[in-house]
Amino acid sequence: MTGGSPRAKKRLGQHFLHDRRVLERIAEAVAPRPGETVLEVGPGEGALTDLLAARASRLVAIELDRDLVPRLRARYAGRSHVEILEGDVLDVDLAAVAGGPYVLAGNVPYYITTPILFHALRAPRPRRAVYLVQKEVADRVVAPAGHPDYGALSVNVQALAVPERLFTVGPGAFRPAPSVESAVLALEPRADPLVGPGEEHAFQRFVVAMFGQRRKQLVRAVREVTGCSAEAAQAALARAGLVPTARGETVPPAGFVSLFRAAGGPA
């Protein structure tokens, strides 16, 4: 690049990762296979992009910051297998851009992490996705039923993918340093997703609504969310094989799927 290092933009949630050891570990975790396209979300200065380009048959880096795009294009002008795409990742059809099997990597802005996670989980999904996210988000995504961090995000991600928190990253690995710890999160979409494409949006709404009633017993929460009678709520819980006096934070993702189908979703 020319013109020195770019200044991070607070409005875009930019924190540029510069720790070489961490960058290498992320690139190794992405582990593209021969013939797979790598999609990178938020290449920034290109630190991770360099390592991914050395491993990928084809790399498409999606950058929102219009000031960074020409820098990145100049940097990779001599590498025909690297493409820099300007735009908001939430507006990009990832599978169409990949044009075939792909994996995904990204240092995603913390303020839009959840929308990006679910955007990338739309079918057809990547074989694997590796994200650098706020540690708190990673903890919530991987939390099992009954854990204090378990919630709607846990259920909705785990219904579609198998998550793994790989390692944590301290603030000093970034420029500028964020005020929180980060973590590298890997998602491998399930071969047998618990909900089908036609159910995903309604199921996600149902789960969010149920966790909005998390302090209530399931029978009361189902009534509040669906608007059904006590008898109908009891019947739905019986069909789902769930105890009416239990609370949502103890129900695993498969149990929420059964309840969603038995109760008919939110009102």
Side-chain angles (χ1 to χ4, degrees):
M1 287 188 197
T2 59
S5 297
R7 178 176 296 179
K9 296 178 180 176
K10 187 175 181 179
R11 66 181 176 83
L12 296 180
Q14 290 176 335
H15 296 278
F16 299 123
L17 180 64
H18 61 75
D19 188 307
R20 179 76 180 192
R21 183 180 62 86
V22 174
L23 290 162
E24 290 278 4
R25 292 182 71 184
I26 294 173
E28 290 171 5
V30 176
R33 294 173 179 170
E36 285 184 328
T37 294
V38 177
L39 299 187
E40 183 187 6
V41 178
E45 297 177 297
L48 180 60
T49 315
D50 285 346
L51 301 179
L52 294 174
R55 291 166 167 80
S57 302
R58 176 173 176 251
L59 170 63
V60 181
I62 305 166
E63 178 55 59
L64 175 62
D65 188 343
R66 65 179 59 185
D67 293 330
L68 291 178
V69 170
R71 290 170 170 259
L72 290 164
R73 286 178 175 161
R75 181 171 187 145
Y76 299 105
R79 309 188 74 171
S80 60
H81 73 298
V82 178
E83 176 185 351
I84 307 301
L85 180 63
E86 180 180 353
D88 185 336
V89 65
L90 297 178
D91 295 330
V92 175
D93 185 332
L94 300 176
V97 168
Y102 72 103
V103 291
L104 188 146
N107 175 8
V108 299
Y110 293 162
Y111 73 98
I112 55 166
T113 297
T114 299
I116 290 175
L117 292 183
F118 286 108
H119 180 63
L121 281 173
R122 293 177 184 170
R125 302 179 177 97
R127 176 183 60 81
R128 179 174 174 83
V130 178
Y131 301 99
L132 183 56
V133 300
Q134 188 173 341
K135 179 179 175 293
E136 177 186 344
V137 172
D139 290 344
R140 288 163 53 203
V141 168
V142 303
H147 190 280
D149 291 328
Y150 186 70
L153 181 61
S154 320
V155 174
N156 283 324
V157 171
Q158 292 173 29
L160 300 174
V162 178
E164 181 183 4
R165 199 190 82 178
L166 300 180
F167 57 91
T168 58
V169 182
F174 299 87
R175 180 187 63 80
S179 59
V180 296
E181 274 199 304
S182 304
V184 175
L185 175 71
L187 298 182
E188 294 207 0
R190 298 172 62 109
D192 57 342
L194 302 183
V195 289
E199 298 176 299
E200 289 174 17
H201 182 65
F203 175 71
Q204 290 167 7
R205 288 178 52 229
F206 175 73
V207 171
V208 169
M210 287 293 291
F211 274 95
Q213 309 287 331
R214 68 184 302 154
R215 296 184 182 276
K216 297 177 181 176
Q217 295 180 347
L218 285 176
V219 64
R220 180 63 183 275
V222 170
R223 291 185 63 191
E224 294 284 346
V225 170
T226 67
C228 71
S229 66
E231 293 76 14
Q234 292 274 6
L237 287 162
R239 289 194 297 274
L242 298 174
V243 178
T245 55
R247 287 176 169 78
E249 58 203 17
T250 67
V251 178
F256 270 105
V257 174
S258 296
L259 181 58
F260 167 72
R261 290 171 178 162

